[in-house]
Amino acid sequence: MEILTMGVEEEFVLVDRSSRAPVDRAPEVIATATHDLGEQVQTEFFNAQVETVSRPTASTGRLRDELVRMRGVIAAAAEPEQCLPVAVGTPVVPPERPLTVTDTERYQRMADQYASHFSTVDGVVCGCHVHVGTLDRESALALSRRMAPWLPVLQAVTTNSPFARRRDTGFESWRSVEHARWPTVGPAPDLDEPRYLAHVAELVRTGTLLDRRMVYWHARPSEHVPTLEIRVADANADVDTVVMLAALVRGLAATFLTEVRENRPVPRVPLRRLLLAHELAARQGLAGFGVDPCTGRERPAVELVDRLVARARPGLDLTGDTEHVLRQWRRIRADGAGAARQRATFRRHGRFTDVVDALAHRTLAS
């Protein structure tokens, strides 16, 4: 079994210090943060968003240190612009005016071609994406097939978007619902490399996608680095939840990569079962039931997380991450995932602005 590297892309929404509403100040924040972070800070679709990209590392400790450092740089760059970076799946407070799309050729083309797929009022979604590598495309596709049944469990444990436009959506991850408006968002089809290339080329040729970078499957081979990218998690204010997510993704990938190279049979899970599992994860998170990846039966979501940790255990043991993951998972079971903590804050204070303040504070707490 080999030790894979991992990297994390975090998306943040910038909110005004007074109104706590999203604001179009990313160009100024990114320009300042670039002095320290270089290409590790990037634009996102809306001018109210900032993305950071960690370097590949084999160490969860180094990953955590880098995430904390980048969050601090973004916060310092946002301060002169009178705004705060918040790691949350969907903004809690709506913008006071329609947001603008980032002024790059690609984003402007996306805005024109897919105008019906998003809203400038409530279309901001922020995710947390984990990369594992180094992997060629064929290996990444083989891993994505084996990991697919477990991705709803990862989604459930990282839910962090129950509120949108000052209302409770009834979901633990409203981001999952909003993001699904875009083409190809969902479970990846079962494809080898030749069929993958042909399928994506057809999606681009027919205008379903603008380019290959717009493949938004829950698991996809990256088009710019040699990795498998997992895209099911909400942005999370709690940095230790993010590190736990990265460790679990890597642990599963390392465990399954051994099975790929030994040509073990791939469990076939019907698409309808995967879709139901993701729907339950988005709606109920850890509070309800999920779909057992092996039997297809509904089981308590917390029980499925226990099973996921056990399934990833060989890879976690290899890198010494088991105790960190178990410790963080015990904390989440006691305190709730991000969505549950947001609702608890609202129950205590009764104000959505207090929810934003708590998220902003936790985003910068190390």
Side-chain angles (χ1 to χ4, degrees):
M1 189 179 298
E2 66 182 273
I3 295 178
L4 301 171
T5 60
M6 56 191 167
V8 171
E9 298 171 354
E10 289 197 282
E11 297 168 355
F12 304 91
V13 61
L14 298 175
V15 303
D16 182 79
R17 285 180 173 273
S18 298
S19 68
R20 281 79 159 193
V23 286
D24 285 329
R25 297 175 194 164
E28 296 82 5
V29 173
I30 291 172
T32 300
T34 298
H35 295 301
D36 288 318
L37 298 180
E39 293 184 353
Q40 286 186 274
V41 58
Q42 299 178 4
T43 59
E44 250 301 322
F45 186 72
F46 284 107
N47 278 315
Q49 293 174 281
V50 173
E51 181 180 66
T52 60
V53 181
S54 74
R55 299 183 184 91
T57 181
S59 165
T60 50
R62 283 196 294 271
L63 174 64
R64 187 185 190 280
D65 289 344
E66 186 167 33
L67 294 177
V68 170
R69 181 180 71 86
M70 291 191 296
R71 289 179 177 209
V73 171
I74 298 300
E79 188 170 358
E81 307 305 326
Q82 296 301 305
C83 61
L84 298 163
V86 178
V88 64
T90 52
V92 177
V93 176
E96 296 181 327
R97 59 185 61 84
L99 299 172
T100 59
V101 175
T102 299
D103 189 19
T104 66
E105 179 185 0
R106 183 170 183 270
Y107 283 141
Q108 290 298 322
R109 287 178 62 198
M110 287 173 62
D112 291 340
Q113 191 166 333
Y114 304 98
S116 63
H117 296 268
F118 69 93
S119 164
T120 57
V121 175
D122 59 1
V124 174
V125 294
C126 294
C128 177
H129 308 152
V130 177
H131 290 256
V132 290
T134 301
L135 298 167
D136 57 45
R137 186 182 284 118
E138 187 62 64
S139 297
L141 288 166
L143 269 182
S144 74
R145 290 192 288 274
R146 293 177 184 269
M147 293 180 71
W150 295 98
L151 298 187
V153 187
L154 289 172
Q155 180 183 358
V157 81
T158 55
T159 53
N160 189 40
S161 51
F163 299 127
R165 303 190 72 177
R166 294 183 184 270
R167 66 183 180 90
D168 192 320
T169 65
F171 283 74
E172 301 289 288
S173 175
W174 186 246
R175 179 201 66 87
S176 301
V177 179
E178 287 290 332
H179 191 43
R181 295 182 181 186
W182 289 87
T184 72
V185 173
D190 187 354
L191 302 170
D192 59 16
E193 185 171 12
R195 290 189 298 152
Y196 165 83
L197 292 171
H199 181 63
V200 175
E202 182 69 5
L203 291 174
V204 174
R205 186 189 68 79
T206 58
T208 302
L209 301 180
L210 184 70
D211 52 35
R212 293 205 326 211
R213 291 166 59 195
M214 260 193 79
V215 172
Y216 291 152
W217 298 329
H218 293 328
R220 69 177 186 183
S222 173
E223 287 296 331
H224 64 281
V225 288
T227 64
L228 172 67
E229 181 182 5
I230 303 300
R231 302 169 50 86
V232 294
D234 289 351
N236 266 256
D238 178 45
V239 73
D240 288 307
T241 295
V242 176
V243 176
M244 180 191 74
L245 169 68
L248 283 172
V249 168
R250 185 183 47 177
L252 278 177
T255 301
F256 289 147
L257 191 59
T258 299
E259 298 179 6
V260 168
R261 291 174 177 168
E262 293 175 353
N263 291 316
R264 297 189 198 176
V266 182
R268 301 294 177 178
V269 180
L271 177 60
R272 65 182 182 277
R273 187 189 298 174
L274 285 178
L275 291 172
L276 173 60
H278 281 291
E279 180 182 348
L280 289 172
R283 186 179 295 276
Q284 301 178 6
L286 295 175
F289 288 78
V291 177
D292 188 301
C294 302
T295 67
R297 298 174 181 171
E298 290 191 14
R299 303 296 302 169
V302 292
E303 180 181 311
L304 294 178
V305 179
D306 286 335
R307 292 193 58 189
L308 182 150
V309 174
R311 193 71 175 88
R313 186 72 183 255
L316 294 172
D317 286 347
L318 178 69
T319 54
D321 292 329
T322 303
E323 184 52 42
H324 171 85
V325 167
L326 289 173
R327 184 169 59 249
Q328 178 63 10
W329 171 223
R330 287 193 294 268
R331 187 164 73 91
I332 290 175
R333 288 193 71 161
D335 300 339
R341 291 194 297 268
Q342 285 191 51
R343 286 194 172 106
T345 299
F346 184 75
R347 285 194 300 270
R348 284 196 302 271
H349 301 286
R351 293 184 299 271
F352 287 108
T353 52
D354 286 310
V355 176
V356 179
D357 289 346
L359 285 164
H361 175 75
R362 189 177 285 265
T363 298
L364 295 180
S366 60

